[in-house]
Amino acid sequence: MIRASAATFLVLFASPALAQTAPPQEGPITCASPVAPDDTERSLKQRFGKDAVVQDLPGAEGEQYKGIVLFPKARDRRIEVAFTEDKGKRASGLTLRDAGKPSLWNVNGVTIGSSLADVQKANGKPFLVSGFEWDYGGFVTDWKGGALSRPLDGGCTVTIRFGKKASAPKSLSGDGVKAASDSAALVKFAPVVTEIGVNFPDK
């Protein structure tokens, strides 16, 4: 009976500890979780198993690059991970991208599908957004000293992009255009967050 009780004790108390080692599947993104700057393709595959898949990912100006996609079959949990081009091939950052569903991840409370008002509240003040309808359209260009301008603990910087399925009016389109988040034209257009990037600091 003593041995059985001891075995039961071990099962009851070991199981929660084992469960805690599983990688998170939703919640806040930090500089250390669910991906850390010292992660590699190998470490992510070991930690996430079949939920870490190598894929071609979209880069700037139509280019593609090889990266890891975490939770590729779950549109609300998908994360794209990029790697450095040096011999170390360590994670250089991650991206949340609009996949047709609000993401279960967030960065400082902002997630895919967040509105202008949501992001302005998280920032604590209005910010500037670049003109739409070109390769770099819809990115926040200046947080105006708000909370989202500050790096995350660990030194990661955050980029946020807005978009909408409908075409933007001419007054909000093109390179060189900047619109305040509280401007009447941008509020009326009502874009939402379609991309969030977390960029790891250079070592």
Side-chain angles (χ1 to χ4, degrees):
M1 291 298 293
I2 294 176
R3 288 186 178 180
S5 297
T8 303
F9 178 88
L10 287 173
V11 170
L12 288 173
F13 285 87
S15 296
L18 291 173
Q20 289 175 3
T21 63
Q25 298 191 26
E26 61 182 83
I29 288 176
T30 69
C31 279
S33 177
V35 180
D38 58 351
D39 267 318
T40 62
E41 180 181 314
R42 182 179 179 181
S43 69
L44 290 175
K45 285 182 174 179
Q46 287 176 337
R47 194 157 75 253
F48 288 89
K50 61 182 177 59
D51 288 324
V53 178
V54 176
Q55 289 187 5
D56 288 326
L57 301 176
E61 300 180 358
E63 295 183 355
Q64 290 192 325
Y65 63 94
K66 290 283 186 187
I68 286 271
V69 176
L70 303 179
F71 309 110
K73 296 181 179 180
R75 290 184 297 161
D76 56 357
R77 296 205 306 271
R78 179 185 172 96
I79 295 177
E80 299 173 4
V81 184
F83 297 90
T84 60
E85 296 181 357
D86 57 23
K87 189 179 291 185
K89 290 286 183 182
R90 297 188 181 279
S92 60
L94 58 87
T95 302
L96 303 180
R97 212 181 297 274
D98 184 4
K101 290 185 72 174
S103 178
L104 295 176
W105 302 100
N106 72 82
V107 181
N108 280 339
V110 177
T111 189
I112 299 300
S114 290
S115 67
L116 279 169
D118 293 333
V119 180
Q120 187 165 296
K121 182 178 180 180
N123 191 49
K125 58 173 59 180
F127 50 88
L128 294 182
V129 179
S130 67
F132 297 87
E133 310 300 331
W134 67 295
D135 286 340
Y136 298 99
F139 279 105
V140 175
T141 59
D142 190 345
W143 290 111
K144 293 294 181 179
L148 296 179
S149 67
R150 296 190 286 272
L152 303 177
D153 288 343
C156 296
T157 56
V158 177
T159 58
I160 290 179
R161 188 178 201 177
F162 287 88
K164 192 175 181 179
K165 289 182 179 179
S167 296
K170 287 186 178 179
S171 63
L172 293 175
S173 300
D175 183 8
V177 173
K178 298 286 189 298
S181 59
D182 60 349
S183 67
L186 196 57
V187 170
K188 182 178 179 180
F189 181 51
V192 297
V193 174
T194 57
E195 184 178 320
I196 302 174
V198 176
N199 312 294
F200 297 141
D202 295 332
K203 289 190 173 183

